[in-house]
Amino acid sequence: MRYQALGKACRSLHIEGLITAHHSDDQAETVLMRLFQGRIGESLHGIQPEANIDCWGHYGLVGSGGRDIAEFKKNERQRSLDLGSKEFAMAIKAASVETQDPSILRQDGFEYGGIKVYRPFLGFSKEQLKETCRHYSMDWVEDATNHDPTKTPRNAIRHLLRTNALPAVLRPHSVCALAERVRSKLREREIPAEKYFERCKIDSFHGGSGRLVVQIPPQGIGLGKNPSDPITIDDAESEQRAARFLLALIQIVTPFSHVSVQKLGTACAGVFPKLKLANSNQDQVSNFTVGHVQFRRLEPSEKGNSPLPDARSTVSGAKKASNKHTWVLERQRFNNPPADIRIPRLEPPDPASPAPLTTALSPWRLWDGRYWFRVVRSPDRDFVIRPLTEKILKALRDSLWGRRRKFRELRDLLDSAAPGNVRFTLPVLMEDHPEAVQALALPTLGFRTWPLGARSDVQWMVRYKQVRLPGLKEGDFEKMVRRGVVTPVDQGAISPSAQVVAEHLRPRRRVPSMKPKPRNLENRNRLTPQLEVTRRRDVPQVRNLGDRIL
């Protein structure tokens, strides 16, 4: 709750970084708490000096909102130029220049951004910080409840550290050194895993369904003891490096913000058979699920590659044997469906009191941990976003049976973007009614049952979560989109008039035209000289020779 409040305040002020005053005493307390809880291994890295704010699912705080910040900086820079402050505008531009990871997608259809938390004082003790404040005559605030050792487990540990009741091996200096060694060990594992991740080749990625087909370099060369060694079972670190590599792939598809590395043993043995335990009698695994992501090997007859051949990113020109190194990653079919996102109707303002301008856009909401949605609210209908089911899909097909072109469009779209059970992990936009089974749209695929602007139409925006794709360099994304290797999510469209609704918002009614109507034929000829007038049986008739003006 504390970080949510701080994160929302930063977002409202368009701040991208938050600095906290965590010190080495806090680090020691955190590590000791985890030790007393029986946690070992990676969990002992303690507080990270730099990390994303812990507010998963809140727009603009984690992996989202980057476009809003960029637009704010652009507007501020232009406003400074308009006011004649060129120096301030250049300062904003310089602050906007940052080292961007090209593997993080910032193109249309994908989210990026968020708030970073920085902790620059982890190398200093609490007493050192207090002494610095005294030296510069600075006041500080302490929570009075922190001194009660019976209030929380952290307070009890703080009391033990303050009274030197623990042995020397558990004193702050020793515990912080342990956390630093764990972090150093993690970095040693992440470097080869990151290099191996960059060597992967994307066969296809469809943002509308989250389906990834990727070629993994064979034999795990680079994950062994040395950079040129293959992965081996006798190296205790090989599985850890392989797990971190697979974690980077899983993060592209999984609905979770975090997947434990400790749960990836089966996945490592499936992708790298050399890691299979010596006493295991199982055959080579070709289908398994981890983090709600289903892994399966691409079948030789399966159309998993992109439609256009390319030696770098597809398997069309490779040997058939390379299929054993090509994997399909898909969202697992729901055991427990994600919660529905309900969009209530837009209530008209009270006519008795003047109301300010009201936005018709619903707030950004995260569905299934993968898709950010925003919908234009209707004055007379409630909407809901829920998973596609067999019942809804059958009703949708039945409703399109008389519209053959639309029916074929839906069939071809599902076959190409969401084959098999992955289609039942797609979101569907419907009217929120107990008896409603008719889908209005499959928003992530850009499919709508009625054309844009029709009475039954609904407008939305949708973006895929922040992801990193392997092997991407500057300018590669546009090339891969042109080749059909990457298909961004269809982010939808919202008309400018729907973004802001004025005070007079009411259910739609016919507005009389303000154009003067001609009273007789002579006036009509004078107003519309393009029209040729003929008389038949004394009844005036008009034949259009150009643009019709009535």
Side-chain angles (χ1 to χ4, degrees), residues 500-539:
V500 177
V501 179
E503 173 188 357
H504 62 269
L505 175 68
R506 293 293 185 273
R508 299 178 181 177
R509 61 187 181 87
R510 185 177 179 83
V511 180
S513 174
M514 301 302 293
K515 184 183 294 185
K517 297 182 178 179
R519 295 183 178 180
N520 50 47
L521 188 62
E522 181 180 354
N523 289 340
R524 180 177 295 185
N525 285 336
R526 180 172 55 83
L527 292 175
T528 59
Q530 303 95 332
L531 302 179
E532 176 187 345
V533 180
T534 61
R535 289 183 179 275
R536 182 177 299 173
R537 297 181 181 180
D538 297 329
V539 177

mmCIF file of all heavy atoms in Angstrom, residues 500-539:
data_model
loop_
_atom_site.group_PDB
_atom_site.id
_atom_site.type_symbol
_atom_site.label_atom_id
_atom_site.label_comp_id
_atom_site.label_asym_id
_atom_site.label_seq_id
_atom_site.Cartn_x
_atom_site.Cartn_y
_atom_site.Cartn_z
ATOM 1 N N VAL A 500 -13.255 12.981 -25.130
ATOM 2 C CA VAL A 500 -13.757 13.980 -24.194
ATOM 3 C C VAL A 500 -15.228 14.188 -24.472
ATOM 4 O O VAL A 500 -15.629 14.428 -25.613
ATOM 5 C CB VAL A 500 -12.999 15.330 -24.326
ATOM 6 C CG1 VAL A 500 -13.598 16.361 -23.400
ATOM 7 C CG2 VAL A 500 -11.531 15.131 -24.026
ATOM 8 N N VAL A 501 -16.043 14.085 -23.441
ATOM 9 C CA VAL A 501 -17.484 14.246 -23.566
ATOM 10 C C VAL A 501 -17.882 15.482 -22.781
ATOM 11 O O VAL A 501 -17.541 15.626 -21.606
ATOM 12 C CB VAL A 501 -18.229 13.002 -23.029
ATOM 13 C CG1 VAL A 501 -19.727 13.181 -23.146
ATOM 14 C CG2 VAL A 501 -17.797 11.779 -23.807
ATOM 15 N N ALA A 502 -18.602 16.371 -23.426
ATOM 16 C CA ALA A 502 -18.964 17.631 -22.790
ATOM 17 C C ALA A 502 -20.133 17.431 -21.826
ATOM 18 O O ALA A 502 -20.706 16.357 -21.678
ATOM 19 C CB ALA A 502 -19.312 18.676 -23.842
ATOM 20 N N GLU A 503 -20.513 18.521 -21.180
ATOM 21 C CA GLU A 503 -21.549 18.485 -20.151
ATOM 22 C C GLU A 503 -22.888 18.025 -20.693
ATOM 23 O O GLU A 503 -23.677 17.404 -19.978
ATOM 24 C CB GLU A 503 -21.666 19.889 -19.555
ATOM 25 C CG GLU A 503 -22.811 20.059 -18.578
ATOM 26 C CD GLU A 503 -22.983 21.497 -18.180
ATOM 27 O OE1 GLU A 503 -22.183 22.323 -18.628
ATOM 28 O OE2 GLU A 503 -23.919 21.780 -17.434
ATOM 29 N N HIS A 504 -23.173 18.313 -21.952
ATOM 30 C CA HIS A 504 -24.487 18.016 -22.504
ATOM 31 C C HIS A 504 -24.617 16.563 -22.952
ATOM 32 O O HIS A 504 -25.521 16.242 -23.719
ATOM 33 C CB HIS A 504 -24.763 18.931 -23.700
ATOM 34 C CG HIS A 504 -23.770 18.737 -24.827
ATOM 35 N ND1 HIS A 504 -22.614 19.477 -24.901
ATOM 36 C CD2 HIS A 504 -23.761 17.896 -25.880
ATOM 37 C CE1 HIS A 504 -21.939 19.111 -25.975
ATOM 38 N NE2 HIS A 504 -22.607 18.142 -26.582
ATOM 39 N N LEU A 505 -23.707 15.664 -22.491
ATOM 40 C CA LEU A 505 -23.784 14.263 -22.899
ATOM 41 C C LEU A 505 -25.133 13.667 -22.522
ATOM 42 O O LEU A 505 -25.568 13.719 -21.387
ATOM 43 C CB LEU A 505 -22.678 13.461 -22.224
ATOM 44 C CG LEU A 505 -22.721 11.953 -22.482
ATOM 45 C CD1 LEU A 505 -22.411 11.666 -23.929
ATOM 46 C CD2 LEU A 505 -21.765 11.221 -21.575
ATOM 47 N N ARG A 506 -25.781 13.108 -23.487
ATOM 48 C CA ARG A 506 -27.072 12.462 -23.298
ATOM 49 C C ARG A 506 -27.143 11.291 -24.256
ATOM 50 O O ARG A 506 -26.342 11.194 -25.184
ATOM 51 C CB ARG A 506 -28.227 13.428 -23.594
ATOM 52 C CG ARG A 506 -28.361 14.586 -22.611
ATOM 53 C CD ARG A 506 -28.772 14.091 -21.222
ATOM 54 N NE ARG A 506 -29.005 15.188 -20.332
ATOM 55 C CZ ARG A 506 -28.048 15.759 -19.607
ATOM 56 N NH1 ARG A 506 -26.810 15.327 -19.692
ATOM 57 N NH2 ARG A 506 -28.331 16.747 -18.797
ATOM 58 N N PRO A 507 -28.092 10.381 -24.072
ATOM 59 C CA PRO A 507 -28.308 9.361 -25.097
ATOM 60 C C PRO A 507 -28.561 10.002 -26.445
ATOM 61 O O PRO A 507 -29.118 11.101 -26.552
ATOM 62 C CB PRO A 507 -29.539 8.610 -24.578
ATOM 63 C CG PRO A 507 -29.479 8.801 -23.097
ATOM 64 C CD PRO A 507 -28.928 10.179 -22.892
ATOM 65 N N ARG A 508 -28.113 9.321 -27.483
ATOM 66 C CA ARG A 508 -28.132 9.902 -28.817
ATOM 67 C C ARG A 508 -29.546 10.286 -29.246
ATOM 68 O O ARG A 508 -30.493 9.551 -29.029
ATOM 69 C CB ARG A 508 -27.557 8.899 -29.824
ATOM 70 C CG ARG A 508 -26.118 8.530 -29.538
ATOM 71 C CD ARG A 508 -25.628 7.515 -30.542
ATOM 72 N NE ARG A 508 -24.256 7.118 -30.271
ATOM 73 C CZ ARG A 508 -23.595 6.207 -30.954
ATOM 74 N NH1 ARG A 508 -24.184 5.598 -31.968
ATOM 75 N NH2 ARG A 508 -22.363 5.902 -30.642
ATOM 76 N N ARG A 509 -29.646 11.443 -29.852
ATOM 77 C CA ARG A 509 -30.908 11.878 -30.414
ATOM 78 C C ARG A 509 -30.628 12.614 -31.714
ATOM 79 O O ARG A 509 -29.525 13.104 -31.948
ATOM 80 C CB ARG A 509 -31.656 12.795 -29.441
ATOM 81 C CG ARG A 509 -30.905 14.086 -29.096
ATOM 82 C CD ARG A 509 -31.635 14.857 -28.003
ATOM 83 N NE ARG A 509 -30.952 16.090 -27.670
ATOM 84 C CZ ARG A 509 -31.132 17.246 -28.296
ATOM 85 N NH1 ARG A 509 -31.996 17.305 -29.331
ATOM 86 N NH2 ARG A 509 -30.475 18.324 -27.938
ATOM 87 N N ARG A 510 -31.627 12.739 -32.541
ATOM 88 C CA ARG A 510 -31.452 13.366 -33.844
ATOM 89 C C ARG A 510 -31.350 14.868 -33.675
ATOM 90 O O ARG A 510 -32.184 15.491 -33.016
ATOM 91 C CB ARG A 510 -32.627 13.017 -34.764
ATOM 92 C CG ARG A 510 -32.454 13.538 -36.171
ATOM 93 C CD ARG A 510 -33.619 13.103 -37.038
ATOM 94 N NE ARG A 510 -33.486 13.602 -38.394
ATOM 95 C CZ ARG A 510 -32.767 13.027 -39.333
ATOM 96 N NH1 ARG A 510 -32.116 11.917 -39.043
ATOM 97 N NH2 ARG A 510 -32.695 13.523 -40.536
ATOM 98 N N VAL A 511 -30.309 15.441 -34.269
ATOM 99 C CA VAL A 511 -30.093 16.886 -34.209
ATOM 100 C C VAL A 511 -30.519 17.493 -35.534
ATOM 101 O O VAL A 511 -30.042 17.078 -36.591
ATOM 102 C CB VAL A 511 -28.597 17.208 -33.936
ATOM 103 C CG1 VAL A 511 -28.388 18.705 -33.881
ATOM 104 C CG2 VAL A 511 -28.154 16.542 -32.643
ATOM 105 N N PRO A 512 -31.484 18.455 -35.522
ATOM 106 C CA PRO A 512 -31.939 19.046 -36.785
ATOM 107 C C PRO A 512 -30.825 19.798 -37.490
ATOM 108 O O PRO A 512 -29.967 20.415 -36.867
ATOM 109 C CB PRO A 512 -33.055 20.002 -36.334
ATOM 110 C CG PRO A 512 -32.764 20.283 -34.899
ATOM 111 C CD PRO A 512 -32.146 19.038 -34.344
ATOM 112 N N SER A 513 -30.828 19.708 -38.791
ATOM 113 C CA SER A 513 -29.809 20.383 -39.587
ATOM 114 C C SER A 513 -30.019 21.886 -39.569
ATOM 115 O O SER A 513 -31.157 22.379 -39.566
ATOM 116 C CB SER A 513 -29.865 19.867 -41.027
ATOM 117 O OG SER A 513 -28.981 20.598 -41.833
ATOM 118 N N MET A 514 -28.908 22.619 -39.535
ATOM 119 C CA MET A 514 -28.963 24.082 -39.537
ATOM 120 C C MET A 514 -28.918 24.656 -40.939
ATOM 121 O O MET A 514 -28.982 25.874 -41.121
ATOM 122 C CB MET A 514 -27.782 24.642 -38.727
ATOM 123 C CG MET A 514 -27.743 24.164 -37.273
ATOM 124 S SD MET A 514 -29.249 24.588 -36.380
ATOM 125 C CE MET A 514 -29.079 26.380 -36.344
ATOM 126 N N LYS A 515 -28.828 23.810 -41.975
ATOM 127 C CA LYS A 515 -28.762 24.298 -43.340
ATOM 128 C C LYS A 515 -30.156 24.779 -43.777
ATOM 129 O O LYS A 515 -31.146 24.079 -43.597
ATOM 130 C CB LYS A 515 -28.279 23.198 -44.274
ATOM 131 C CG LYS A 515 -28.096 23.654 -45.705
ATOM 132 C CD LYS A 515 -27.694 22.486 -46.585
ATOM 133 C CE LYS A 515 -26.320 21.992 -46.175
ATOM 134 N NZ LYS A 515 -25.843 20.947 -47.083
ATOM 135 N N PRO A 516 -30.273 25.960 -44.358
ATOM 136 C CA PRO A 516 -31.599 26.440 -44.789
ATOM 137 C C PRO A 516 -32.150 25.583 -45.923
ATOM 138 O O PRO A 516 -31.438 25.206 -46.845
ATOM 139 C CB PRO A 516 -31.318 27.875 -45.243
ATOM 140 C CG PRO A 516 -29.866 27.893 -45.574
ATOM 141 C CD PRO A 516 -29.216 26.933 -44.634
ATOM 142 N N LYS A 517 -33.415 25.250 -45.801
ATOM 143 C CA LYS A 517 -34.052 24.446 -46.824
ATOM 144 C C LYS A 517 -34.710 25.346 -47.862
ATOM 145 O O LYS A 517 -35.396 26.307 -47.514
ATOM 146 C CB LYS A 517 -35.108 23.528 -46.195
ATOM 147 C CG LYS A 517 -34.520 22.507 -45.222
ATOM 148 C CD LYS A 517 -35.606 21.604 -44.690
ATOM 149 C CE LYS A 517 -35.013 20.558 -43.751
ATOM 150 N NZ LYS A 517 -36.059 19.662 -43.199
ATOM 151 N N PRO A 518 -34.520 25.073 -49.147
ATOM 152 C CA PRO A 518 -35.184 25.888 -50.188
ATOM 153 C C PRO A 518 -36.689 25.705 -50.133
ATOM 154 O O PRO A 518 -37.201 24.603 -49.974
ATOM 155 C CB PRO A 518 -34.593 25.334 -51.484
ATOM 156 C CG PRO A 518 -34.124 23.973 -51.139
ATOM 157 C CD PRO A 518 -33.724 24.007 -49.718
ATOM 158 N N ARG A 519 -37.409 26.819 -50.284
ATOM 159 C CA ARG A 519 -38.861 26.762 -50.157
ATOM 160 C C ARG A 519 -39.550 26.373 -51.458
ATOM 161 O O ARG A 519 -40.633 25.831 -51.441
ATOM 162 C CB ARG A 519 -39.390 28.130 -49.716
ATOM 163 C CG ARG A 519 -38.920 28.515 -48.320
ATOM 164 C CD ARG A 519 -39.530 29.835 -47.891
ATOM 165 N NE ARG A 519 -39.115 30.194 -46.535
ATOM 166 C CZ ARG A 519 -39.504 31.303 -45.930
ATOM 167 N NH1 ARG A 519 -40.316 32.155 -46.555
ATOM 168 N NH2 ARG A 519 -39.085 31.558 -44.709
ATOM 169 N N ASN A 520 -38.910 26.658 -52.573
ATOM 170 C CA ASN A 520 -39.540 26.304 -53.830
ATOM 171 C C ASN A 520 -38.467 25.909 -54.828
ATOM 172 O O ASN A 520 -37.278 25.949 -54.546
ATOM 173 C CB ASN A 520 -40.371 27.478 -54.372
ATOM 174 C CG ASN A 520 -39.560 28.776 -54.377
ATOM 175 O OD1 ASN A 520 -38.420 28.799 -54.826
ATOM 176 N ND2 ASN A 520 -40.148 29.862 -53.859
ATOM 177 N N LEU A 521 -38.921 25.561 -56.001
ATOM 178 C CA LEU A 521 -37.998 25.071 -57.016
ATOM 179 C C LEU A 521 -37.047 26.150 -57.479
ATOM 180 O O LEU A 521 -35.883 25.890 -57.761
ATOM 181 C CB LEU A 521 -38.801 24.513 -58.192
ATOM 182 C CG LEU A 521 -37.997 23.783 -59.253
ATOM 183 C CD1 LEU A 521 -37.313 22.574 -58.657
ATOM 184 C CD2 LEU A 521 -38.917 23.356 -60.392
ATOM 185 N N GLU A 522 -37.519 27.398 -57.518
ATOM 186 C CA GLU A 522 -36.658 28.488 -57.977
ATOM 187 C C GLU A 522 -35.496 28.683 -57.014
ATOM 188 O O GLU A 522 -34.349 28.841 -57.419
ATOM 189 C CB GLU A 522 -37.472 29.772 -58.084
ATOM 190 C CG GLU A 522 -36.645 30.963 -58.587
ATOM 191 C CD GLU A 522 -37.504 32.217 -58.678
ATOM 192 O OE1 GLU A 522 -38.731 32.122 -58.469
ATOM 193 O OE2 GLU A 522 -36.926 33.274 -58.949
ATOM 194 N N ASN A 523 -35.789 28.643 -55.697
ATOM 195 C CA ASN A 523 -34.708 28.781 -54.723
ATOM 196 C C ASN A 523 -33.738 27.605 -54.791
ATOM 197 O O ASN A 523 -32.540 27.749 -54.621
ATOM 198 C CB ASN A 523 -35.290 28.870 -53.313
ATOM 199 C CG ASN A 523 -35.998 30.195 -53.079
ATOM 200 O OD1 ASN A 523 -35.743 31.162 -53.795
ATOM 201 N ND2 ASN A 523 -36.894 30.227 -52.097
ATOM 202 N N ARG A 524 -34.279 26.407 -55.033
ATOM 203 C CA ARG A 524 -33.413 25.241 -55.113
ATOM 204 C C ARG A 524 -32.447 25.360 -56.277
ATOM 205 O O ARG A 524 -31.277 25.013 -56.163
ATOM 206 C CB ARG A 524 -34.254 23.966 -55.240
ATOM 207 C CG ARG A 524 -33.411 22.715 -55.317
ATOM 208 C CD ARG A 524 -34.257 21.479 -55.369
ATOM 209 N NE ARG A 524 -35.020 21.308 -54.131
ATOM 210 C CZ ARG A 524 -35.777 20.250 -53.877
ATOM 211 N NH1 ARG A 524 -35.874 19.277 -54.766
ATOM 212 N NH2 ARG A 524 -36.436 20.149 -52.740
ATOM 213 N N ASN A 525 -32.959 25.879 -57.417
ATOM 214 C CA ASN A 525 -32.062 26.073 -58.553
ATOM 215 C C ASN A 525 -30.995 27.100 -58.227
ATOM 216 O O ASN A 525 -29.857 26.993 -58.658
ATOM 217 C CB ASN A 525 -32.858 26.509 -59.773
ATOM 218 C CG ASN A 525 -33.631 25.346 -60.384
ATOM 219 O OD1 ASN A 525 -33.250 24.205 -60.207
ATOM 220 N ND2 ASN A 525 -34.713 25.643 -61.083
ATOM 221 N N ARG A 526 -31.382 28.104 -57.453
ATOM 222 C CA ARG A 526 -30.414 29.146 -57.134
ATOM 223 C C ARG A 526 -29.344 28.624 -56.166
ATOM 224 O O ARG A 526 -28.181 28.968 -56.267
ATOM 225 C CB ARG A 526 -31.134 30.340 -56.497
ATOM 226 C CG ARG A 526 -30.186 31.484 -56.135
ATOM 227 C CD ARG A 526 -30.984 32.709 -55.692
ATOM 228 N NE ARG A 526 -31.885 32.390 -54.611
ATOM 229 C CZ ARG A 526 -31.492 32.341 -53.319
ATOM 230 N NH1 ARG A 526 -30.252 32.591 -53.013
ATOM 231 N NH2 ARG A 526 -32.363 32.068 -52.375
ATOM 232 N N LEU A 527 -29.748 27.748 -55.216
ATOM 233 C CA LEU A 527 -28.785 27.232 -54.251
ATOM 234 C C LEU A 527 -27.924 26.123 -54.815
ATOM 235 O O LEU A 527 -26.792 25.928 -54.398
ATOM 236 C CB LEU A 527 -29.517 26.722 -53.005
ATOM 237 C CG LEU A 527 -30.188 27.804 -52.149
ATOM 238 C CD1 LEU A 527 -30.980 27.149 -51.028
ATOM 239 C CD2 LEU A 527 -29.172 28.766 -51.583
ATOM 240 N N THR A 528 -28.448 25.348 -55.736
ATOM 241 C CA THR A 528 -27.721 24.203 -56.294
ATOM 242 C C THR A 528 -27.717 24.270 -57.804
ATOM 243 O O THR A 528 -28.523 23.599 -58.472
ATOM 244 C CB THR A 528 -28.379 22.902 -55.821
ATOM 245 O OG1 THR A 528 -29.740 22.902 -56.245
ATOM 246 C CG2 THR A 528 -28.343 22.778 -54.309
ATOM 247 N N PRO A 529 -26.855 25.071 -58.373
ATOM 248 C CA PRO A 529 -26.835 25.194 -59.836
ATOM 249 C C PRO A 529 -26.376 23.915 -60.526
ATOM 250 O O PRO A 529 -26.556 23.778 -61.718
ATOM 251 C CB PRO A 529 -25.845 26.336 -60.062
ATOM 252 C CG PRO A 529 -24.987 26.335 -58.837
ATOM 253 C CD PRO A 529 -25.863 25.927 -57.707
ATOM 254 N N GLN A 530 -25.772 22.944 -59.781
ATOM 255 C CA GLN A 530 -25.314 21.728 -60.436
ATOM 256 C C GLN A 530 -26.471 20.807 -60.800
ATOM 257 O O GLN A 530 -26.290 19.845 -61.539
ATOM 258 C CB GLN A 530 -24.358 20.955 -59.503
ATOM 259 C CG GLN A 530 -23.164 21.766 -59.041
ATOM 260 C CD GLN A 530 -23.457 22.394 -57.679
ATOM 261 O OE1 GLN A 530 -24.615 22.646 -57.381
ATOM 262 N NE2 GLN A 530 -22.426 22.671 -56.916
ATOM 263 N N LEU A 531 -27.608 21.037 -60.222
ATOM 264 C CA LEU A 531 -28.717 20.129 -60.422
ATOM 265 C C LEU A 531 -29.546 20.540 -61.642
ATOM 266 O O LEU A 531 -29.922 21.696 -61.795
ATOM 267 C CB LEU A 531 -29.609 20.107 -59.180
ATOM 268 C CG LEU A 531 -28.914 19.716 -57.869
ATOM 269 C CD1 LEU A 531 -29.900 19.746 -56.723
ATOM 270 C CD2 LEU A 531 -28.318 18.353 -58.003
ATOM 271 N N GLU A 532 -29.843 19.591 -62.488
ATOM 272 C CA GLU A 532 -30.708 19.835 -63.626
ATOM 273 C C GLU A 532 -32.146 19.490 -63.218
ATOM 274 O O GLU A 532 -32.412 18.423 -62.661
ATOM 275 C CB GLU A 532 -30.288 18.947 -64.796
ATOM 276 C CG GLU A 532 -31.217 19.094 -65.997
ATOM 277 C CD GLU A 532 -30.880 18.099 -67.075
ATOM 278 O OE1 GLU A 532 -29.785 17.520 -67.006
ATOM 279 O OE2 GLU A 532 -31.721 17.889 -67.955
ATOM 280 N N VAL A 533 -33.058 20.397 -63.448
ATOM 281 C CA VAL A 533 -34.441 20.222 -63.012
ATOM 282 C C VAL A 533 -35.313 19.927 -64.222
ATOM 283 O O VAL A 533 -35.254 20.598 -65.239
ATOM 284 C CB VAL A 533 -34.948 21.485 -62.289
ATOM 285 C CG1 VAL A 533 -36.385 21.297 -61.837
ATOM 286 C CG2 VAL A 533 -34.043 21.807 -61.120
ATOM 287 N N THR A 534 -36.082 18.882 -64.107
ATOM 288 C CA THR A 534 -37.033 18.533 -65.150
ATOM 289 C C THR A 534 -38.406 18.405 -64.551
ATOM 290 O O THR A 534 -38.543 18.080 -63.361
ATOM 291 C CB THR A 534 -36.648 17.197 -65.803
ATOM 292 O OG1 THR A 534 -36.675 16.190 -64.806
ATOM 293 C CG2 THR A 534 -35.265 17.265 -66.423
ATOM 294 N N ARG A 535 -39.454 18.661 -65.344
ATOM 295 C CA ARG A 535 -40.822 18.558 -64.876
ATOM 296 C C ARG A 535 -41.515 17.443 -65.623
ATOM 297 O O ARG A 535 -41.410 17.327 -66.818
ATOM 298 C CB ARG A 535 -41.560 19.879 -65.086
ATOM 299 C CG ARG A 535 -41.093 20.983 -64.141
ATOM 300 C CD ARG A 535 -41.921 22.248 -64.366
ATOM 301 N NE ARG A 535 -41.516 23.306 -63.466
ATOM 302 C CZ ARG A 535 -41.971 23.454 -62.232
ATOM 303 N NH1 ARG A 535 -42.855 22.594 -61.782
ATOM 304 N NH2 ARG A 535 -41.566 24.453 -61.480
ATOM 305 N N ARG A 536 -42.173 16.630 -64.857
ATOM 306 C CA ARG A 536 -42.951 15.564 -65.447
ATOM 307 C C ARG A 536 -44.281 15.511 -64.710
ATOM 308 O O ARG A 536 -44.324 15.274 -63.508
ATOM 309 C CB ARG A 536 -42.219 14.243 -65.332
ATOM 310 C CG ARG A 536 -42.961 13.079 -65.985
ATOM 311 C CD ARG A 536 -42.134 11.813 -65.905
ATOM 312 N NE ARG A 536 -40.874 11.981 -66.608
ATOM 313 C CZ ARG A 536 -39.911 11.076 -66.574
ATOM 314 N NH1 ARG A 536 -40.068 9.977 -65.887
ATOM 315 N NH2 ARG A 536 -38.785 11.295 -67.239
ATOM 316 N N ARG A 537 -45.377 15.784 -65.481
ATOM 317 C CA ARG A 537 -46.722 15.800 -64.898
ATOM 318 C C ARG A 537 -46.809 16.794 -63.756
ATOM 319 O O ARG A 537 -47.401 16.535 -62.703
ATOM 320 C CB ARG A 537 -47.124 14.421 -64.400
ATOM 321 C CG ARG A 537 -47.214 13.392 -65.517
ATOM 322 C CD ARG A 537 -47.648 12.047 -64.980
ATOM 323 N NE ARG A 537 -47.712 11.055 -66.065
ATOM 324 C CZ ARG A 537 -48.059 9.794 -65.880
ATOM 325 N NH1 ARG A 537 -48.374 9.357 -64.651
ATOM 326 N NH2 ARG A 537 -48.102 8.958 -66.897
ATOM 327 N N ASP A 538 -46.146 17.957 -63.938
ATOM 328 C CA ASP A 538 -46.188 19.049 -62.976
ATOM 329 C C ASP A 538 -45.641 18.668 -61.597
ATOM 330 O O ASP A 538 -45.969 19.282 -60.589
ATOM 331 C CB ASP A 538 -47.621 19.575 -62.809
ATOM 332 C CG ASP A 538 -48.147 20.145 -64.100
ATOM 333 O OD1 ASP A 538 -47.314 20.662 -64.877
ATOM 334 O OD2 ASP A 538 -49.361 20.057 -64.336
ATOM 335 N N VAL A 539 -44.794 17.610 -61.530
ATOM 336 C CA VAL A 539 -44.182 17.217 -60.263
ATOM 337 C C VAL A 539 -42.688 17.514 -60.351
ATOM 338 O O VAL A 539 -42.006 16.985 -61.236
ATOM 339 C CB VAL A 539 -44.383 15.725 -59.973
ATOM 340 C CG1 VAL A 539 -43.670 15.348 -58.680
ATOM 341 C CG2 VAL A 539 -45.854 15.415 -59.863
#
